[in-house]
């Protein structure tokens, strides 16, 4: 799926990155992505048909999110913005969804960043069903130093829940994933 990469912190370290080796079907673990694991029974969160074929799955049924057009680009000292038109295409070629993705990145005085995603999806197919999944449509692959498991990271949401066990599958107004930014070795 289309993704935002790379992102640097004020310490010039990658805050999110692609791991050198990801498990089969996890090639989407490389930055910030908008996708879904189950649209009309088709996964849209991965993009590497070759990886599936290498594992012996000859005809994987994988959807693609395709960039059709960059509608607007803005760059400045306070924020950068991109608006793009995309389509969600099934392996058969059928278009399930049209999407307008508006991404704005704000630069704060404290060398912090705020990224705002505004996503508009319009059904093109007669029926579009988002199936139940344990994964969110917004995915962020963070660097080891920000990881709750491998570093000093912490996840919080507007409900007061903390870390993955408490925030997973719960609705919230916002969430914050933060931690110390340091140089580190790749996750084993």
């Amino acid at each position: 799926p289309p993704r935002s990469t790379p992102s640097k912190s004020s310490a010039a370290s990658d805050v999110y990155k692609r791991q050198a080796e990801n498990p089969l079907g996890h090639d989407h673990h490389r930055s910030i992505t908008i996708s879904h694991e189950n649209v009309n029974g088709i996964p849209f969160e991965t993009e590497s048909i070759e990886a599936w074929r290498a594992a012996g799955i000859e005809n994987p049924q994988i959807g693609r999110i395709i960039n059709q057009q960059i509608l607007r680009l803005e760059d400045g000292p306070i924020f950068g913005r991109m608006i793009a038109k995309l389509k969600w295409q099934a392996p058969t070629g059928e278009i399930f969804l049209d999407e307008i993705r508006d991404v704005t990145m704000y630069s704060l005085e404290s060398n912090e960043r705020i990224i705002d995603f505004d996503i508009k999806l319009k059904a093109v197919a007669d029926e579009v069903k988002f199936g139940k999944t344990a994964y969110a449509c917004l995915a962020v692959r963070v660097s080891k130093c920000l990881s709750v498991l491998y570093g000093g990271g912490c996840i919080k949401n507007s409900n007061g829940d903390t870390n993955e066990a408490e925030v997973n599958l719960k609705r919230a107004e916002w969430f914050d994933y933060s931690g110390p930014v340091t140089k580190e070795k790749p996750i084993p």
Side-chain angles (χ1 to χ4, degrees):
R3 57 195 169 272
S4 303
T5 190
S7 181
K8 298 284 185 183
S9 72
S10 58
S13 177
D14 286 335
V15 247
Y16 57 81
K17 62 174 78 173
R18 179 176 187 208
Q19 296 307 106
E21 296 289 330
N22 283 314
L24 177 65
H26 288 76
D27 58 318
H28 56 285
H29 282 196
R30 57 176 87 187
S31 64
I32 299 176
T33 60
I34 301 290
S35 60
H36 198 277
E37 183 183 40
N38 180 350
V39 180
N40 291 352
I42 304 292
F44 279 82
E45 87 283 7
T46 190
E47 61 189 26
S48 177
I49 291 174
E50 291 75 23
W52 289 100
R53 287 186 178 145
I57 301 170
E58 196 53 43
N59 190 19
Q61 299 299 301
I62 298 170
R64 298 182 61 208
I65 302 172
I66 302 166
N67 181 26
Q68 291 184 292
Q69 182 181 4
I70 302 296
L71 301 173
R72 184 173 185 175
L73 284 175
E74 294 180 61
D75 187 20
I78 298 172
F79 71 90
R81 183 179 187 196
M82 178 196 71
I83 303 174
K85 181 179 178 183
L86 303 108
K87 62 181 176 180
W88 293 47
Q89 183 178 32
T92 61
E94 179 184 9
I95 305 301
F96 288 167
L97 298 160
D98 281 336
E99 175 187 345
I100 299 294
R101 186 176 301 184
D102 186 344
V103 182
T104 305
M105 182 178 285
Y106 298 91
S107 180
L108 305 179
E109 289 181 16
S110 58
N111 284 329
E112 295 176 315
R113 306 288 183 267
I114 293 175
I115 304 173
D116 182 26
F117 283 86
D118 184 9
I119 309 300
K120 292 179 177 70
L121 297 172
K122 179 182 176 187
V124 176
D126 291 336
E127 182 178 5
V128 176
K129 181 178 179 183
F130 287 85
K132 187 173 181 179
T133 175
Y135 303 103
C137 290
L138 171 66
V140 180
R141 176 66 156 195
V142 299
S143 197
K144 179 182 176 184
C145 64
L146 291 175
S147 167
V148 173
L149 182 61
Y150 296 104
C154 182
I155 306 170
K156 297 178 184 178
N157 71 16
S158 59
N159 303 324
D161 301 317
T162 305
N163 292 334
E164 193 168 341
E166 292 182 20
V167 303
N168 193 30
L169 298 175
K170 293 186 182 173
R171 290 180 185 263
E173 296 282 321
W174 55 263
F175 80 93
D176 176 82
Y177 199 143
S178 57
V181 179
T182 60
K183 295 193 180 274
E184 81 284 335
K185 296 177 182 174
I187 295 173

